[in-house]
């Protein structure tokens, strides 16, 4: 029987012949018996081989083959990819899954070098240098299976509600938000192109195009020389934009429903495994999420004994942690919307409240870290032009964007959310590097 079986499916099979493929995780080469832990993308299984250490000159072909198998196993290096055949046997005494495979044959697909350059406890930068080896850990494998489930759940939520998925260009002729934090590159020797900081303008173009409700999951780029645990120069952004809203509250309601649906999907499918490998309980958030105006949040943080050093009125990272701690203590919730930001600390395209002068916008905090900025957008072209000038932007340089509004756009709004930040906080990790397939930062362009 040579048909490959995934390790996770072995429990469903009756005892008997089986073939499994994967890579060597560990070898225990004892005098009388050999054990190999073989791992594939779905799990790990114990292989066992009664060791044959020597045979006589008149040995049978079977005995010679047994000696060769023993010697091959003794020489296996961690990471070697191979296919094995043998007899599957259920045995409750086996700690790893209560089953094992007694080997009858082994075929090496690709041998590994004997010295592995990293270990599970290697420094993060060293592990990132050898990311393909680091990703072989069961914990890391789970992160990216959860990422797949999370994205699929969000797409399911949107598609079931008739959203349109778009793929906006990542090469732009001008800045999408400001001239800061832009990567510029020569474009066919004739002009300068920029890597998109955000799909913001193109999300809004879809509203002018009459798409109504859209979403995108794609890469964005920020030339930000930051070395914090939650910043990257290239990351995956989760974006949505919807037409015919009354305020940013409609956007917030959609986002909290989206996250509650996605977290429940993850908890149902992976909750037990996340608990086993990370000792984290995936808490499905209740809706509605708490909402606190920024000015009130600042006062709450101050009352907790922390004076925010920023002079622009916004929360700093410690302020975010403090207000989130307050929400956890008061409401038992891991999420909180901070609302009503001053225009000075918001983008020019955020709509303002005619009565308060504050923006119709929010930040969403999850476990003390900002994961989202959302807002109702200003759709009146003359107001947009005035607000752009206030920010020191020349409307002539925004003509392609402002044209959307000169030909009519319905009231609309949306959000952008960092995928890696959500995963980092879900798994209780200390850095987005651990939950990013291949991290890009100011000093990392490889592998």
């Amino acid at each position: 029987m040579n048909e490959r079986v995934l390790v996770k499916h072995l429990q469903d099979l009756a005892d008997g012949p089986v073939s499994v493929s994967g890579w060597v995780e560990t070898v225990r080469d004892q005098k009388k018996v050999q054990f190999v832990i073989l791992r594939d993308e779905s799990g790990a299984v114990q292989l066992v081989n009664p060791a044959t250490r020597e045979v006589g000159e008149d040995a049978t072909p079977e005995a010679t083959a047994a000696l060769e198998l023993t010697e091959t196993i003794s020489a296996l290096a961690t990471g070697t990819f191979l296919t094995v055949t043998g007899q599957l046997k259920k045995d409750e005494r086996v700690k790893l899954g209560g089953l094992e495979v007694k080997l009858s044959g082994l075929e090496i697909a690709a041998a590994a070098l004997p010295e592995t350059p990293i270990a599970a406890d290697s420094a993060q930068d060293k592990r990132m240098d050898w990311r393909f080896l680091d990703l072989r850990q069961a914990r890391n494998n789970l992160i990216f299976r959860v990422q797949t489930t999370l994205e699929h759940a969000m797409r399911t939520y949107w598609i079931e509600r008739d959203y349109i998925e778009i793929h906006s260009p990542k090469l732009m002729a001008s800045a999408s938000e400001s001239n800061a934090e832009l990567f510029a590159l020569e474009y066919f020797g004739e002009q300068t192109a920029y890597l998109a900081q955000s799909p913001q303008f193109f999300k809004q173009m879809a509203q002018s195009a009459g798409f109504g409700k859209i979403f995108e999951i794609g890469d964005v780029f920020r030339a930000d020389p930051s070395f914090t645990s939650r910043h990257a120069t290239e990351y995956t952004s989760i974006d949505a934009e919807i037409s015919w809203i009354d305020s940013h509250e409609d956007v917030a309601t959609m986002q909290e429903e989206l996250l509650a649906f996605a977290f429940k999907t993850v908890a149902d499918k992976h909750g037990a495994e996340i608990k086993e490998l990370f000792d984290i309980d995936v808490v499905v958030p209740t809706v509605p999420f708490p909402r606190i105006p920024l000015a009130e949040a600042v006062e709450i943080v101050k009352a907790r004994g922390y004076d925010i050093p920023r002079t622009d009125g916004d929360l700093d990272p410690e302020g975010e942690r403090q207000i989130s701690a307050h929400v956890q203590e008061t409401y038992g919730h891991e999420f909180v919307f901070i609302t009503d930001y001053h225009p000075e600390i918001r983008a020019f395209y955020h709509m303002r409240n005619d009565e308060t002068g504050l923006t119709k916008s929010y930040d969403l905090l999850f476990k003390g870290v900002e994961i989202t900025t959302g807002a109702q957008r200003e759709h009146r072209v003359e107001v947009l032009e005035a607000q752009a000038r206030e920010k020191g932007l020349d409307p002539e340089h925004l003509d392609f964007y402002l044209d959307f509004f000169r030909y009519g756009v319905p009231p609309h709004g949306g959000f952008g959310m960092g995928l890696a930040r959500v995963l980092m906080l879900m798994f209780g990790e200390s850095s987005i590097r651990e939950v990013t397939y291949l991290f890009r930062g100011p000093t990392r362009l490889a592998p």
Side-chain angles (χ1 to χ4, degrees):
M1 180 179 181
N2 293 320
E3 183 178 351
R4 181 193 180 206
V5 177
L6 289 174
V7 167
K8 70 177 182 179
H9 293 149
L10 292 175
Q11 287 284 0
D12 302 327
L13 300 179
D15 288 4
V18 71
S19 176
V20 184
S21 299
W23 65 90
V24 175
E25 189 165 81
T26 59
V27 177
R28 286 190 292 133
D29 193 6
Q30 300 175 3
K31 184 176 181 180
K32 294 184 178 181
V33 65
Q34 296 171 305
F35 296 98
V36 178
I37 303 302
L38 185 73
R39 182 171 292 278
D40 68 8
E41 61 268 33
S42 69
V45 63
Q46 177 173 285
L47 314 177
V48 60
N49 180 57
T52 301
R53 298 300 178 180
E54 58 183 36
V55 296
E57 294 181 0
D58 57 348
T60 64
E62 291 79 7
T64 301
L67 176 62
E68 290 177 354
L69 180 58
T70 298
E71 291 175 343
T72 298
I73 292 172
S74 295
L76 285 177
T78 299
T80 293
F81 280 78
L82 47 79
T83 295
V84 300
T85 54
Q87 291 291 316
L88 175 66
K89 182 181 179 181
K90 308 289 174 55
D91 187 340
E92 294 180 356
R93 295 172 298 176
V94 179
K95 294 180 180 179
L96 187 60
L99 53 80
E100 64 184 9
V101 176
K102 183 178 180 181
L103 292 177
S104 58
L106 183 155
E107 180 180 347
I108 294 176
L113 293 174
E115 294 295 328
T116 304
I118 60 168
D121 60 353
S122 295
Q124 186 181 73
D125 276 348
K126 183 69 172 178
R127 289 188 292 104
M128 293 298 117
D129 289 340
W130 297 92
R131 185 60 163 159
F132 65 95
L133 296 177
D134 187 47
L135 289 171
R136 291 180 183 175
Q137 295 183 63
R139 284 167 54 95
N140 288 334
N141 179 285
L142 177 59
I143 287 170
F144 292 97
R145 286 191 285 118
V146 169
Q147 174 183 285
T148 301
T149 299
L150 186 72
E151 289 188 43
H152 179 70
M154 289 188 285
R155 281 193 169 95
T156 299
Y157 173 92
W158 282 317
I159 290 169
E160 288 181 348
R161 290 159 179 78
D162 293 327
Y163 282 65
I164 295 173
E165 183 171 11
I166 66 169
H167 299 288
S168 62
K170 304 311 170 193
L171 289 171
M172 301 182 65
S174 61
S176 53
E177 295 187 11
S178 71
N179 289 324
E181 300 183 354
L182 280 174
F183 286 111
L185 64 154
E186 184 181 283
Y187 197 64
F188 294 109
E190 297 294 327
Q191 64 185 104
T192 299
Y194 303 93
L195 294 180
Q197 301 162 295
S198 152
Q200 181 60 45
F201 288 179
F202 299 114
K203 289 192 299 178
Q204 292 186 262
M205 188 185 82
Q207 309 312 298
S208 180
F211 280 26
K213 299 180 291 188
I214 63 96
F215 71 92
E216 176 174 10
I217 301 176
D219 282 1
V220 295
F221 304 85
R222 296 287 172 109
D224 179 4
S226 175
F227 292 89
T228 76
S229 62
R230 59 182 185 173
H231 287 90
T233 53
E234 177 183 0
Y235 64 93
T236 301
S237 183
I238 301 167
D239 288 85
E241 203 80 13
I242 52 178
S243 289
W244 300 112
I245 66 172
D246 293 324
S247 76
H248 59 294
E249 179 60 33
D250 296 319
V251 181
T253 298
M254 178 266 286
Q255 188 178 9
E256 66 189 4
E257 290 178 356
L258 171 79
L259 285 168
F261 178 82
F263 272 54
K264 184 178 188 310
T265 305
V266 168
D268 289 347
K269 186 171 183 178
H270 305 287
E273 199 171 357
I274 292 172
K275 180 66 174 178
E276 177 187 353
L277 294 178
F278 289 85
D279 196 25
I280 291 286
D281 292 309
V282 178
V283 177
V284 179
T286 57
V287 295
F289 296 178
R291 286 141 166 85
I292 302 176
L294 176 60
E296 182 182 335
V298 170
E299 291 303 313
I300 291 171
V301 169
K302 186 180 295 185
R304 292 176 63 89
Y306 180 69
D307 289 321
I308 300 168
R310 291 182 62 152
T311 58
D312 59 4
D314 200 357
L315 297 171
D316 67 348
E318 179 57 29
E320 292 175 348
R321 287 188 285 270
Q322 289 289 333
I323 193 62
S324 293
H326 165 79
V327 169
Q328 181 64 57
E329 294 162 8
T330 306
Y331 303 103
H333 214 288
E334 295 181 335
F335 290 87
V336 58
F337 287 113
I338 306 299
T339 65
D340 303 299
Y341 282 75
H342 194 279
E344 288 185 2
I345 53 178
R346 286 317 217 193
F348 77 92
Y349 48 78
H350 285 199
M351 182 177 278
R352 300 175 188 178
N353 186 309
D354 292 335
E355 295 181 2
T356 66
L358 301 175
T359 60
K360 295 184 176 183
S361 70
Y362 65 81
D363 277 358
L364 177 59
L365 309 184
F366 174 32
K367 292 184 178 179
V369 177
E370 176 204 328
I371 60 170
T372 295
T373 294
Q376 179 171 5
R377 319 303 185 186
E378 180 55 68
H379 62 280
R380 297 164 293 185
V381 67
E382 67 280 1
V383 179
L384 265 178
E385 290 176 342
Q387 291 182 179
R389 289 190 185 95
E390 282 183 21
K391 295 287 187 179
L393 302 173
D394 185 347
E396 289 186 6
H397 295 160
L398 296 168
D399 260 354
F400 93 94
Y401 170 68
L402 296 173
D403 279 345
F404 309 158
F405 304 90
R406 293 179 178 125
Y407 292 90
V409 180
H412 64 281
F415 69 82
M417 177 169 62
L419 173 62
R421 288 192 185 185
V422 175
L423 290 168
M424 174 186 75
L425 297 162
M426 177 183 285
F427 282 99
E429 291 293 296
S430 60
S431 170
I432 62 170
R433 292 163 177 79
E434 301 291 355
V435 298
T436 302
Y437 182 63
L438 288 173
F439 174 76
R440 289 292 177 260
T443 60
R444 183 164 291 280
L445 274 174

